[in-house]
Amino acid sequence: MDENQETEENSLEIIDRETAASYISSGGALDKISDAFEERPVQIELLKCITDAFNNNLLGVYEAGTGVGKSYAYLIPSVLWAVKNKERVIISTGTINLQQQLCEKDIPAVEKILGKKIKFVLMKGRQNYICKRRLMEAASVLDLFEDDTEEIKRISDWAEESSTGSKSDISFMPSENAWTRVNSESDACMGKRCPFFNECFVMKVRKQAADAAIIVVNHHLLFADIESRMNGSGYDDAAVLPPYRRIIFDEAHGIESAATSFFSESVNRFKINKLLFQMYRKRKGSESGHLCSIAVFSKNEEKIEEAYSLISKIKSDFVNLEIAAKDLLAKESTMRLCDSTARSFGPFLVSASELAVSLGNFTNLVHLILEGVSDEDKSVPSYWESKIILGRLENYVILIKNFSMWDEKRQNVYWIQKKRLPPDLLKAGEDLDYVTLTETPLDISSLMNSGVYEQMSSVVCTSATLRTGRDFRFWCGRTGMLYAEQSRVDCKDFLSPFPYEKNMFFVIPSDAPLPDRPEFQQWIEMAIPRLIRAAEGRTLVLFTSYESLKSAYKSATGYLKGFGGLLMKQGDDDNAKLLEKFKNDNESVLFATDSFWQGIDIPGESLSQVIIVKLPFTVPNDPVFTARSEAIEKRGGNSFMELSVPEAVIKFRQGIGRLIRRSDDKGVVTVLDRRIYEKRYGINFTLSMPDCKKCYEPLDEICKKINGFIFQ
Ligand code: SF4
């Protein structure tokens, strides 16, 4: 922190922790306006800790169990701080659901509690908003041959009426293709030169953000802002967000995966072909695309002639690259470029270099054509569209070149993956299989430390699942908190006030085969329907593999003939709709995988049993996971205990956390994976659970007990 900041820090006024706590204490403002108020000592404690984090410039790591009421516990100090010190606070979440809850329910409630109006805004990435200029251009050149003509018209009609311009407010789901033709993009924004500047949706939300005391964002957008600051914008001026020095990370268990996905880059033939098609295409001898439109304004117009042959070269280079990749992959679906595979990657890397050269030649050509456009002609829409495409193509060139330099860039993981196109998307002459090249950061901890913790005056990270076993070491290590100045770090856990010992029953069938046995799948296909009957439906079955889910679902539909409740599986419908049906039909059952392990909220009787089929270990052929494991082994650690187990524990805790959402919720967690009791590492899972009644008996006994527990 520089001298100026220190002076500013000194002039900040602290907030009184007792006054802050009084708002949610008995007799306080919340008590007066809420009929169902019950003082929660644990919430008051958390609020005081967060207040201290603001006052003393701390890095708070606070695990708050379900029902602690963490949003009031951080919103009240955040608002008090922002108002008193005129210093905005960023609240970053992992899911859109939580953002909506904060903006539609919790912040308005905090306004009532504090008796003050607060300026706050929900800010999304600019790609989520319509760009009026691009929309006008797209609508004015509707091409009968383009698939998205109808959609652009519908988006255009909607934008006329919309007050937000935000994609989430459109009543239909626009396709990726149509949306990316009309959304806002930083490279294509003309800023003050734009004729729509004064009515621009992005500029409107930016103005609101510049004025706001509280800005709600998602982790992705926050990382986009941090990246831009680390790349030179600094921390004192506006970048993607206005400047700030205080962050609250809610759903902080997801920081590592959000940062990993934000800082990853990938490319495949569709991504490149789509951009090339927008730049230049030749149909029946007639040329079109942005390059043609812009060339007439460029003094380098003659360069356009090279475009056609360069594009053909890029396409054939990509075909060669895919052939080399498929030879390399053979029957595997993914492969990482590392010491043990480097030799076999040889032919692939030769093809990659050729592709990088031809793609680089094409971007140089576009540069030359753009450079030849005079300042007066730069308002031509194709000029700005070409700039977006050029930026993306240049990123792909860097990514492809980085594959050849992997040995010097060991801070990243380089890997290829073979995927299959759905047959209905296949065009004549195209190969069903395609290959994606991906670069992913190996570790985000130093980036978090230098880009976030060292720069911010205070950071509070909270979630219901940060601990593994009894401590925070795993989460702190993965997210860089272990490398931050330790005198600033404050880790605490705040236990759920819900009566788990009375309301939750944890069962494991002792006669289940171990999951690595061949008979395991057959056994679970017999056991799951019996467990469902024991709970009379009301069950969420969580799988770690979609194949296993599909097979178990098929068996269950046979076993459960005549069963009254709805039997659903992930993939049958939109996730939100499945969830809605599940909530509305008390006896329904849902077979689900990944996205249902966390973030879903089903209070009440419709969820009385969560079945966890297997402990959620990451599959060992995940290339990023393998690279991270190897890095641990290399420094002498034990990757199973330091990475596999703790990652699985956090996911397991998220899974069981779906069950009890209110103090009067009651139900059973059934784990079909006996390793939790029989392997030494199982203790890490059981220690991370709330205290509750447990049972380890054969399936027959367990089914009786489940029924008795739920319906007693
Ligand atoms: S100001 Fe930028 S984002 Fe807004 S309409 Fe104009 S070009 Fe689009």
Side-chain angles (χ1 to χ4, degrees):
M1 219 175 284
D2 63 27
E3 221 173 276
N4 286 345
Q5 283 164 24
E6 269 178 35
T7 321
E8 277 170 30
E9 286 290 336
N10 293 338
S11 64
L12 293 171
E13 282 185 56
I14 63 160
I15 30 178
D16 182 62
R17 69 201 303 265
E18 299 304 327
T19 310
S22 69
Y23 290 104
I24 53 168
S25 304
S26 289
L30 180 59
D31 189 358
K32 287 185 187 132
I33 59 171
S34 162
D35 295 339
F37 177 83
E38 241 178 79
E39 187 180 273
R40 294 185 232 179
V42 67
Q43 183 184 37
I44 294 174
E45 269 317 296
L46 175 60
L47 179 144
K48 286 181 178 175
C49 281
I50 295 176
T51 306
D52 292 345
F54 275 99
N55 287 339
N56 304 321
N57 297 333
L58 300 181
L59 305 171
V61 180
Y62 302 132
E63 179 176 297
T66 316
V68 167
K70 60 182 159 46
S71 51
Y72 284 179
Y74 62 69
L75 283 172
I76 290 173
S78 300
V79 170
L80 292 175
W81 183 271
V83 170
K84 197 162 196 171
N85 289 300
K86 307 220 170 344
E87 198 184 53
R88 73 175 58 82
V89 178
I90 303 290
I91 297 178
S92 180
T93 79
T95 60
I96 183 81
N97 289 352
L98 180 55
Q99 287 171 24
Q100 275 165 352
Q101 182 198 310
L102 288 170
C103 293
E104 288 163 18
K105 220 171 112 221
D106 296 344
I107 301 180
V110 166
E111 286 183 318
K112 280 195 196 140
I113 295 169
L114 300 181
K116 310 186 183 357
K117 273 278 165 213
I118 302 153
K119 286 188 176 164
F120 70 94
V121 65
L122 167 61
M123 218 176 152
K124 301 173 197 163
R126 68 185 301 156
Q127 289 92 341
N128 288 285
Y129 298 93
I130 280 287
C131 166
K132 289 196 169 183
R133 183 190 62 72
R134 294 187 77 205
L135 179 62
M136 191 201 68
E137 299 308 333
S140 67
V141 290
L142 286 179
D143 181 339
L144 290 176
F145 298 104
E146 300 268 4
D147 301 339
D148 40 23
T149 300
E150 247 335 285
E151 280 191 280
I152 301 278
K153 277 192 197 150
R154 286 182 77 189
I155 297 175
S156 207
D157 291 345
W158 161 81
E160 292 274 308
E161 306 294 324
S162 174
S163 60
T164 62
S166 164
K167 189 181 176 187
S168 60
D169 295 343
I170 306 182
S171 56
F172 59 97
M173 188 69 182
S175 68
E176 177 75 5
N177 244 350
W179 182 254
T180 51
R181 285 183 62 196
V182 297
N183 66 345
S184 170
E185 293 279 359
S186 57
D187 298 336
C189 181
M190 295 169 68
K192 288 198 174 125
R193 296 169 58 179
C194 170
F196 297 96
F197 186 77
N198 290 331
E199 47 193 284
C200 169
F201 294 120
V202 177
M203 299 306 150
K204 197 163 122 192
V205 76
R206 286 197 163 184
K207 242 184 244 158
Q208 288 168 355
D211 250 11
I214 303 286
I215 303 180
V216 179
V217 296
N218 66 18
H219 298 335
H220 248 248
L221 185 61
L222 184 61
F223 288 127
D225 179 76
I226 304 261
E227 183 191 42
S228 141
R229 296 185 184 284
M230 291 176 81
N231 287 343
S233 305
Y235 287 78
D236 296 330
D237 298 311
V240 176
L241 303 174
Y244 54 91
R245 293 286 172 177
R246 314 263 166 187
I247 306 176
I248 308 277
F249 279 106
D250 197 345
E251 298 179 319
H253 60 274
I255 288 180
E256 187 187 15
S257 72
T260 300
S261 112
F262 177 78
F263 291 103
S264 289
E265 179 80 84
S266 70
V267 66
N268 57 42
R269 83 171 114 106
F270 301 106
K271 287 188 175 185
I272 288 192
N273 287 351
K274 189 178 143 201
L275 297 177
L276 294 176
F277 182 78
Q278 289 173 25
M279 287 305 279
Y280 182 88
R281 50 195 181 264
K282 217 176 192 179
R283 269 197 197 122
K284 296 181 184 156
S286 107
E287 298 169 316
S288 56
H290 298 308
L291 217 44
C292 299
S293 315
I294 199 69
V296 289
F297 296 98
S298 172
K299 59 180 195 296
N300 298 325
E301 188 184 357
E302 76 291 347
K303 293 281 169 203
I304 190 89
E305 280 168 27
E306 288 173 45
Y308 189 60
S309 57
L310 274 175
I311 287 179
S312 306
K313 173 86 172 79
I314 293 168
K315 286 185 177 169
S316 79
D317 284 349
F318 216 109
V319 169
N320 292 339
L321 183 78
E322 286 202 328
I323 292 171
K326 286 174 197 167
D327 280 350
L328 179 62
L329 284 162
K331 289 198 172 120
E332 302 293 323
S333 62
T334 58
M335 194 177 284
R336 181 164 60 100
L337 176 51
C338 57
D339 291 318
S340 61
T341 60
R343 190 180 280 265
S344 343
F345 260 88
F348 171 88
L349 292 179
V350 172
S351 303
S353 300
E354 278 174 27
L355 174 63
V357 170
S358 46
L359 205 49
N361 289 342
F362 183 77
T363 56
N364 289 342
L365 175 93
V366 180
H367 263 299
L368 274 175
I369 295 175
L370 292 181
E371 276 163 19
V373 178
S374 66
D375 276 355
E376 307 87 75
D377 292 327
K378 281 185 179 156
S379 52
V380 177
S382 279
Y383 178 84
W384 296 91
E385 295 301 316
S386 302
K387 277 185 66 180
I388 309 182
I389 294 172
L390 184 61
R392 288 186 190 154
L393 288 174
E394 282 176 336
N395 283 342
Y396 292 151
V397 174
I398 296 173
L399 167 62
I400 297 165
K401 279 187 178 164
N402 283 351
F403 263 74
S404 301
M405 294 158 63
W406 71 276
D407 199 19
E408 296 147 50
K409 292 185 171 283
R410 286 181 183 253
Q411 70 279 21
N412 293 325
V413 185
Y414 295 91
W415 50 288
I416 58 173
Q417 183 174 27
K418 187 165 59 186
K419 291 185 179 165
R420 181 151 281 211
L421 262 185
D424 52 322
L425 290 183
L426 193 68
K427 291 190 180 148
E430 263 189 339
D431 190 349
L432 200 62
D433 289 332
Y434 66 98
V435 175
T436 296
L437 286 69
T438 307
E439 173 187 62
T440 305
L442 178 64
D443 186 357
I444 53 117
S445 59
S446 55
L447 186 148
M448 285 294 292
N449 188 31
S450 57
V452 181
Y453 310 139
E454 282 180 1
Q455 307 297 336
M456 294 296 127
S457 303
S458 65
V459 179
V460 168
C461 301
T462 182
S463 159
T465 52
L466 295 176
R467 281 178 308 131
T468 47
R470 291 210 166 98
D471 65 52
F472 294 87
R473 276 192 73 77
F474 171 70
W475 185 87
C476 287
R478 302 302 309 173
T479 55
M481 199 57 95
L482 275 190
Y483 313 111
E485 196 185 320
Q486 290 306 292
S487 59
R488 293 181 66 207
V489 179
D490 181 38
C491 297
K492 283 195 183 77
D493 64 300
F494 299 84
L495 294 182
S496 166
F498 294 164
Y500 284 90
E501 56 299 326
K502 196 167 90 198
N503 288 358
M504 188 167 117
F505 188 26
F506 181 68
V507 302
I508 300 168
S510 57
D511 46 354
L514 284 170
D516 56 356
R517 302 293 307 162
E519 62 272 25
F520 181 73
Q521 180 69 24
Q522 206 183 356
W523 188 87
I524 61 155
E525 291 184 13
M526 171 280 295
I528 292 171
R530 294 189 57 193
L531 292 161
I532 290 171
R533 281 202 190 275
E536 297 182 11
R538 308 154 205 267
T539 300
L540 174 67
V541 196
L542 292 173
F543 290 81
T544 50
S545 132
Y546 195 62
E547 285 312 305
S548 168
L549 177 157
K550 272 198 303 194
S551 173
Y553 176 80
K554 200 167 161 221
S555 301
T557 48
Y559 273 111
L560 293 172
K561 276 216 171 81
F563 164 72
L566 257 178
L567 203 58
M568 301 175 285
K569 75 168 186 319
Q570 191 172 350
D572 283 349
D573 205 339
D574 187 62
N575 285 358
K577 286 193 190 133
L578 285 176
L579 212 53
E580 222 26 61
K581 285 186 202 162
F582 188 80
K583 281 182 188 168
N584 294 337
D585 178 339
N586 254 358
E587 290 178 4
S588 57
V589 177
L590 178 58
F591 285 54
T593 56
D594 242 11
S595 48
F596 283 85
W597 279 80
Q598 54 181 315
I600 59 162
D601 200 13
I602 312 163
E605 280 179 12
S606 35
L607 181 58
S608 299
Q609 176 173 230
V610 173
I611 300 179
I612 290 182
V613 176
K614 261 191 198 182
L615 294 179
F617 287 108
T618 305
V619 284
N621 61 359
D622 177 317
V624 179
F625 176 78
T626 319
R628 288 177 174 169
S629 300
E630 275 178 23
I632 294 173
E633 299 285 337
K634 225 176 196 166
R635 61 157 169 74
N638 174 339
S639 63
F640 183 68
M641 292 310 292
E642 289 179 37
L643 183 65
S644 306
V645 170
E647 253 191 26
V649 167
I650 289 196
K651 194 164 175 189
F652 173 78
R653 296 186 68 203
Q654 284 285 334
I656 61 177
R658 299 310 101 217
L659 185 69
I660 308 283
R661 309 302 299 170
R662 290 192 313 221
S663 63
D664 57 349
D665 275 353
K666 178 178 178 188
V668 185
V669 172
T670 307
V671 177
L672 305 183
D673 188 336
R674 267 197 301 133
R675 290 177 296 181
I676 198 167
Y677 265 173
E678 302 208 346
K679 299 285 178 188
R680 194 137 20 116
Y681 59 75
I683 185 105
N684 292 277
F685 290 84
T686 45
L687 272 183
S688 306
M689 288 180 43
D691 283 337
C692 66
K693 205 172 142 204
K694 297 186 176 76
C695 169
Y696 184 51
E697 286 180 34
L699 183 67
D700 286 348
E701 283 308 307
I702 272 181
C703 287
K704 282 184 219 148
K705 287 191 173 165
I706 287 176
N707 191 274
F709 182 80
I710 296 175
F711 301 104
Q712 72 195 357

